[in-house]
Amino acid sequence: MADEPLIYENQFNVQGGNFSDAGKVASHIKAILKGFGIPSEAVRKTALVAYESEINIVSYARKGVIHLRLAPDQIVIETIDEGSGIADIELAMQEGYSTATDKIREMGFGAGMGLANIRNFSDIFHISSEPGKGTSLKMIIKWRP
Amino acid sequence: MEVKTAFGADLMSDVLAFAQSGSLLLTGLTNPQVIRTADVLDISAIIIVRGKRPSPDTVQLAGDLGIPILVTRFILFETAGRLYQSGIRGCLVKVDGSVHSHG
């Protein structure tokens, strides 16, 4: 997989706390994938996991980067943030568990569904986190069955 | 534009989990994240219920992304009921209890 040739690669910076722009990167990624003629179901899943990840960075991190890699059979979204991290990943993955602030809830997020959605819409999902340092996510969406 | 299905919620993560492309989105939220969510899912149009007005930046973003916004003074339940009576159906009838993925 590591040697797989790439069709396209890019990375996008996300500023923590910048709620008004939250979702901009996901919209951009969606437009890029559409431009490559990727099937709409795979575009939708990728945009969705990128969007929930972006909301998480804006909500819980100082800053982060979202990497997009388009390979001949799959799309890889990788996010690396600098922030508070997650002390108990198992707990954070539980549907309904949230540490969201009022600001996050005002946007319609913070119901404890974000990571569960990311896991459910990814074909392969990895999460790692170091409390006090940050969180990394890797999501793979297969687009050529 | 022809629309056959709809989804209603104020929780954007629930919209992301359940709403399907081409559906109407009924919501009481008025911020730009509603438009971002609709864009990610290819929602056909947004109906803002309970007489709320979208913020200017929400209207601006909807215009940029070409997503229509409708507003109504009806509450969510009433709006959904009237649409259902006119033949619009839920984009899914019920969740299957274990997974939220549409495959």
Side-chain angles (χ1 to χ4, degrees):
Chain A
M1 206 189 288
D3 300 317
E4 196 171 45
L6 286 179
I7 297 167
Y8 178 86
E9 187 175 18
N10 209 339
Q11 64 177 57
F12 309 92
N13 293 316
V14 180
Q15 198 58 48
N18 185 359
F19 289 97
S20 60
D21 275 350
K24 217 174 192 174
V25 171
S27 279
H28 192 183
I29 286 174
K30 184 190 168 197
I32 290 168
L33 294 175
K34 266 190 170 172
F36 278 102
I38 305 300
S40 58
E41 188 57 27
V43 173
R44 202 177 109 97
K45 285 180 176 180
T46 307
L48 195 154
V49 302
Y51 184 39
E52 289 276 18
S53 308
E54 190 178 356
I55 294 288
N56 280 348
I57 295 171
V58 169
S59 302
Y60 302 111
R62 282 186 300 280
K63 61 176 180 174
V65 180
I66 299 179
H67 295 266
L68 164 67
R69 292 200 296 277
L70 174 60
D73 63 342
Q74 63 186 22
I75 302 150
V76 183
I77 298 284
E78 220 166 337
T79 73
I80 299 163
D81 73 42
E82 293 174 24
S84 50
I86 300 168
D88 186 340
I89 288 176
E90 209 179 312
L91 183 62
M93 293 297 304
Q94 275 178 25
E95 292 181 10
Y97 178 81
S98 178
T99 58
T101 61
D102 287 348
K103 179 81 196 157
I104 298 164
R105 292 179 199 271
E106 268 170 35
M107 294 196 305
F109 288 91
M113 292 301 294
L115 286 173
N117 273 352
I118 292 170
R119 181 189 54 204
N120 290 341
F121 283 89
S122 301
D123 291 309
I124 300 172
F125 170 65
H126 292 292
I127 177 168
S128 62
S129 187
E130 205 177 323
K133 290 216 162 161
T135 301
S136 299
L137 305 179
K138 185 175 183 179
M139 289 75 75
I140 296 176
I141 285 106
K142 310 231 185 253
W143 67 271
R144 197 166 267 176
Chain B
M1 182 194 294
E2 195 189 5
V3 179
K4 292 182 174 140
T5 57
F7 185 79
D10 286 352
L11 291 175
M12 286 301 109
S13 286
D14 277 354
V15 177
L16 287 164
F18 301 121
Q20 287 173 3
S21 316
S23 292
L24 288 170
L25 172 60
L26 282 57
T27 187
L29 287 177
T30 58
N31 60 49
Q33 266 64 45
V34 174
I35 309 299
R36 292 285 179 204
T37 303
D39 180 49
V40 162
L41 296 173
D42 289 320
I43 292 291
S44 57
I46 295 162
I47 301 180
I48 296 180
V49 298
R50 301 194 286 274
K52 297 188 177 188
R53 313 290 298 190
S55 63
D57 46 345
T58 300
V59 174
Q60 171 77 40
L61 185 61
D64 292 348
L65 296 173
I67 300 171
I69 304 178
L70 295 83
V71 293
T72 177
R73 287 204 299 274
F74 291 122
I75 59 170
L76 180 61
F77 183 87
E78 186 68 24
T79 310
R82 285 174 184 245
L83 288 171
Y84 195 93
Q85 223 164 25
S86 311
I88 302 286
R89 291 294 175 263
C91 64
L92 78 170
V93 174
K94 61 178 178 181
V95 298
D96 71 9
S98 57
V99 284
H100 294 137
S101 171
H102 300 296

